[in-house]
Amino acid sequence: MKLYQLAFIIISLFIFQSCIQDDFVDDMVEPNLRISTPLDTIQLNTDFQFEEMFLNNIGNEVAIEAIWSSSNPAAISITDDGLATANMEGTSTISVTYNDGTNEYQDAIIVTVGATTIINLQVSTGAIATTSSYELTGDFTFEETIEGVKLTFEDNYAASTALPGLYVYLSNNANSVGNAYEIGAVEVFNGAHEYIIPNVDFSDYQYVVYFCKPFNVKVGDGDL
Amino acid sequence: MKNIIIILILSVSIFNNAFAGGPWPQPKGKGYFKLSEWWTVFDQHYTDAGLIDPNVTTGIFNTAFYGEYGVTDRLTTILNANLLSRNYMNNLKSMTTQEIIVAGEAIITFGDVDLGIKYGLTKPGKLPVSVSLILGIPSGKVNGGTLGNLATGDGEFNQILQVDTGFGFKIGKHISSYVSGYAAINNRTKEFSEEFRYGIEAGIGLLKNKVWITSKLNVVESFKNGATAENVTSTSIFANNTEFASIAFEANIYVTKNIGVSLGTAGAMRGEIIAAAPSYSVGVFYDMAK
């Protein structure tokens, strides 16, 4: 076989090398507006700045111009941008509204005027479950602490050890970790354990999700 | 990353040289050489439960040289070298915004190399039995790409001890055929589980042996005695205990007395932690024994 024939064969074989293309993930979610400051009681004759969070149709936080209102301005008055003032004892429903031109979104909490300002430390419980063929199960508690948020799994937690690179995230989109908070690689695959996550607020994320990071395979999730 | 999906695919390639191999050593001074392209593209895989789950589309392309050469009538040397290996993953994009969530990547490097010897235990006229020792040299790249999830090799040293046997026979007066089988133990380093491998192969020669059609069943069973993600100490990204049963078909067509082309396909019928897609190969070979 002559050299040019061999070269032709090799070049022909290289033609089979394929190019990088695109895979798509269905990551559409319902946009969501929520009050991120869980105020229970506001001290009489003091101010409190409320904050909101708006998550768009892929669960990303975006800045908006929301409108705040109070159902009982005599007790708690509030400016359009969320600065509340406790004027007299009583109770008011504090609402935040945003209209994107197509849809209107709203959230509300009930706030009482009292002797001192109380912001609730929030706690929720839930369970993770597999969304794949890999094992993932367990109950958890998600709570706000002074150090940050704490995600505590119970004894019934179990995760597959077969996957390369199983990672756990906090996300606002159960199908994507595009803008998720990466807690880290899973190191405990059975039994109780906990993650303490500083610099994250309780209301920042809606889901705990498990992904095989190297292959972008979703393994499971749980609602926070 | 010790990417077993790729490891197995790389490992399978040597066994997919169905037309050579078997229990028959090359005659002294004769050889069989093949230059081929082998590839698979998969967007789903077998899970540890044997079920099929999706994954980001991944492609593996190997340009490989396979050679057997008879040092004596009983002793044959074997080389399987992945001269050029390419591993890529697609971009992962948002269906909603079309924005890239995880950018795709590719690496192209020299791949793993298998070196081996085969020794015929029996004299001509007896049922041929041979033993082979194949050493898998981890010359490919591991932990490639930004996430360390691309690989053109397994990063561990395979030591495969294999026994082959088989026999040739005629169908009618003119059609040559053969059946062979093998069993092998693969001892592995770097906390990978050892493996038991076995398979059977059958071939039939048509058109005065100018066309050989072969099929081969390969099975890999893991001893599951290595590390898992739970107890691995060498890396934080680890998969192990891969198993599969695959079937391969290959056509070898002589275009001259010694030179021919081959076309092949293979795919897993069942598996654990392995690609769930067919692989394909095309190549040219030079058979000195003809």
Side-chain angles (χ1 to χ4, degrees):
Chain A
M1 184 180 295
K2 294 180 180 176
L3 187 60
Y4 74 87
Q5 291 175 312
L6 183 61
F8 174 77
I9 291 167
I10 293 173
I11 290 169
S12 299
L13 294 178
F14 288 174
I15 291 172
F16 287 93
Q17 310 269 326
S18 177
C19 296
I20 295 172
Q21 299 179 39
D22 297 326
D23 286 1
F24 291 91
V25 57
D26 185 1
D27 58 352
M28 181 171 282
V29 295
E30 283 295 317
N32 175 269
L33 175 66
R34 59 179 186 251
I35 296 170
S36 57
T37 39
L39 186 68
D40 178 77
T41 304
I42 182 171
Q43 185 178 344
L44 183 63
N45 297 323
T46 63
D47 296 334
F48 183 85
Q49 179 64 55
F50 281 94
E51 293 177 357
E52 83 284 345
M53 174 185 282
F54 181 73
L55 302 172
N56 66 9
N57 60 357
I58 57 170
N60 286 356
E61 184 178 1
V62 292
I64 58 169
E65 291 189 5
I67 304 294
W68 291 85
S69 62
S70 170
S71 66
N72 183 5
I76 303 174
S77 58
I78 191 165
T79 62
D80 281 353
D81 58 0
L83 181 63
T85 302
N87 302 313
M88 58 178 283
E89 289 191 357
T91 297
S92 176
T93 299
I94 302 298
S95 300
V96 61
T97 306
Y98 170 62
N99 192 314
D100 65 1
T102 306
N103 297 300
E104 185 168 280
Y105 306 94
Q106 189 175 45
D107 194 17
I109 58 172
I110 297 171
V111 180
T112 302
V113 178
T116 184
T117 296
I118 300 171
I119 299 175
N120 289 330
L121 287 179
Q122 299 176 96
V123 178
S124 68
T125 58
I128 52 169
T130 184
T131 56
S132 64
S133 300
Y134 294 99
E135 181 184 27
L136 183 69
T137 185
D139 297 326
F140 66 81
T141 301
F142 186 59
E143 59 190 313
E144 206 167 14
T145 70
I146 296 172
E147 303 158 292
V149 290
K150 185 164 77 171
L151 182 60
T152 306
F153 286 95
E154 308 297 332
D155 287 339
N156 62 358
Y157 162 88
S160 171
T161 61
L163 277 164
L166 182 62
Y167 276 66
V168 58
Y169 302 81
L170 300 178
S171 178
N172 284 310
N173 190 320
N175 294 322
S176 171
V177 291
N179 284 286
Y181 179 92
E182 182 181 302
I183 297 175
V186 172
E187 295 179 350
V188 178
F189 294 83
N190 271 291
H193 63 288
E194 66 181 30
Y195 299 101
I196 295 176
I197 309 152
N199 305 318
V200 170
D201 290 333
F202 182 89
S203 56
D204 285 352
Y205 296 100
Q206 296 174 293
Y207 307 100
V208 53
V209 294
Y210 284 75
F211 264 71
C212 168
K213 187 176 179 180
F215 289 94
N216 294 308
V217 176
K218 183 184 174 185
V219 178
D221 61 27
D223 290 347
L224 293 174
Chain B
M1 185 184 96
K2 294 176 173 60
N3 183 342
I4 293 292
I5 292 174
I6 294 171
I7 291 165
L8 260 291
I9 288 165
L10 294 170
S11 303
V12 167
S13 63
I14 192 169
F15 292 101
N16 280 344
N17 287 292
F19 187 51
W24 300 279
Q26 293 289 334
K28 181 181 179 180
K30 301 292 185 181
Y32 176 92
F33 308 98
K34 182 174 173 183
L35 184 66
S36 66
E37 181 76 4
W38 177 96
W39 73 96
T40 184
V41 176
F42 60 97
D43 60 5
Q44 53 187 14
H45 66 283
Y46 288 100
T47 70
D48 60 335
L51 303 173
I52 292 177
D53 273 7
N55 55 260
V56 66
T57 302
T58 303
I60 302 165
F61 295 78
N62 280 331
T63 303
F65 173 80
Y66 178 83
E68 294 184 356
Y69 185 79
V71 179
T72 70
D73 282 340
R74 286 192 168 188
L75 182 64
T76 291
T77 55
I78 302 168
L79 169 67
N80 185 60
N82 291 304
L83 305 174
L84 186 71
S85 290
R86 181 169 188 264
N87 180 204
Y88 78 89
M89 287 189 187
N90 273 0
N91 296 313
L92 189 64
K93 281 188 167 181
S94 164
M95 192 180 289
T96 308
T97 66
Q98 308 292 306
E99 292 175 349
I100 291 177
I101 299 171
V102 181
E105 288 187 277
I107 59 171
I108 304 176
T109 73
F110 191 81
D112 278 359
V113 172
D114 295 309
L115 295 172
I117 54 173
K118 178 190 295 182
Y119 186 76
L121 296 176
T122 51
K123 294 180 179 178
K126 304 281 187 180
L127 180 69
V129 177
S130 69
V131 293
S132 301
L133 175 64
I134 299 166
L135 303 178
I137 311 300
S139 48
K141 185 175 180 61
V142 293
N143 301 319
T146 306
L147 296 176
N149 57 352
L150 298 175
T152 55
D154 58 11
E156 59 96 14
F157 179 47
N158 293 285
Q159 307 123 63
I160 301 171
L161 188 61
Q162 179 169 323
V163 178
D164 288 80
T165 188
F167 58 92
F169 58 95
K170 292 278 188 182
I171 298 175
K173 289 185 178 179
H174 305 292
I175 299 176
S176 300
S177 305
Y178 70 89
V179 173
S180 66
Y182 74 91
I185 295 290
N186 182 14
N187 185 56
R188 312 172 79 197
T189 61
K190 302 267 184 84
E191 302 176 83
F192 280 92
S193 296
E194 272 65 63
E195 293 171 339
F196 178 54
R197 301 178 174 194
Y198 59 94
I200 56 172
E201 175 183 336
I204 184 169
L206 305 172
L207 303 177
K208 297 181 179 177
N209 293 341
K210 288 184 177 179
V211 176
W212 280 85
I213 306 296
T214 64
S215 66
K216 191 168 187 175
L217 173 69
N218 291 305
V219 179
V220 171
E221 304 281 0
S222 173
F223 286 2
K224 298 188 175 177
N225 58 348
T228 65
E230 188 171 19
N231 54 21
V232 66
T233 57
S234 60
T235 177
S236 61
I237 301 175
F238 193 91
N240 202 354
N241 302 329
T242 299
E243 296 186 342
F244 69 89
S246 72
I247 189 158
F249 298 96
E250 189 170 279
N252 293 273
I253 304 158
Y254 285 86
V255 293
T256 71
K257 181 183 176 185
N258 301 105
I259 295 173
V261 296
S262 68
L263 306 168
T265 184
M269 298 180 293
R270 68 167 176 86
E272 295 180 18
I273 316 296
I274 191 170
S279 64
Y280 304 94
S281 66
V282 296
V284 291
F285 63 84
Y286 178 55
D287 186 356
M288 294 174 67
K290 284 288 181 179

